[in-house]
Amino acid sequence: NGALLQRTEAEVTDRFGEIVEFAELDAFIDAPLRTYSNGMISRLAFALATAWRPDVLLLDEVLAVGDEAFQRKCLARMRSYREHGTTFLFVSHDANAVREICDRAIWIDQGRPRELGAVEAVLYAYRHST
């Protein structure tokens, strides 16, 4: 996965401990990946993808896995990166997470954009659509 993120083996090795610690997988890191749950894989993928601050980060329902403490840790990292200029494309059904991470939102309904604008305006349109 590090190679997919254009990281060298040396770069991943250098941050390996930090990645494993962030993912909270210390006790399982030597187990084969095929034995990991979907949640464990998602935690590891997020930790690896965010081990270096990217210019742009694409996240699809990243907070749908993990316990509340892990979600808070992910949000804190995302806030920090945002404050330092990272652009996010954040896909989520969690209105609170969208509020916390995003300045603008788009509501997509059956593959078509229904509303685009400030987060609260889009959430209002969504909640009052039926």
Side-chain angles (χ1 to χ4, degrees):
N1 284 340
L4 292 174
L5 297 172
Q6 299 182 337
R7 298 295 171 188
T8 66
E9 185 175 344
E11 287 175 314
V12 173
T13 299
D14 186 50
R15 299 219 179 161
F16 184 77
E18 175 190 322
I19 293 165
V20 172
E21 182 180 332
F22 188 91
E24 300 173 1
L25 294 173
D26 304 63
F28 305 97
I29 200 60
D30 291 324
L33 191 60
R34 63 179 156 63
T35 65
Y36 282 27
S37 68
N38 287 336
M40 292 166 75
I41 292 169
S42 294
R43 290 165 80 107
L44 185 57
F46 182 87
L48 179 61
T50 61
W52 298 266
R53 188 184 65 78
D55 293 328
V56 177
L57 187 59
L58 309 175
L59 300 166
D60 187 357
E61 294 291 354
V62 69
L63 300 175
V65 298
D67 58 24
E68 190 174 318
F70 185 75
Q71 291 174 7
R72 282 193 307 271
K73 186 164 55 168
C74 291
L75 284 168
R77 181 170 278 188
M78 290 165 45
R79 273 193 304 278
S80 170
Y81 285 1
R82 182 174 172 224
E83 290 168 5
H84 290 93
T86 296
T87 298
F88 290 90
L89 176 59
F90 181 62
V91 178
S92 182
H93 291 93
D94 181 345
N96 290 326
V98 171
R99 278 187 190 98
E100 188 156 345
I101 297 300
C102 304
D103 295 320
R104 298 179 48 79
I106 184 169
W107 166 28
I108 298 175
D109 185 22
Q110 297 184 10
R112 296 183 183 217
R114 289 273 306 262
E115 190 78 26
L116 170 66
V119 171
E120 286 305 323
V122 172
L123 290 174
Y124 180 87
Y126 175 76
R127 284 191 305 267
H128 293 89
S129 67
T130 50

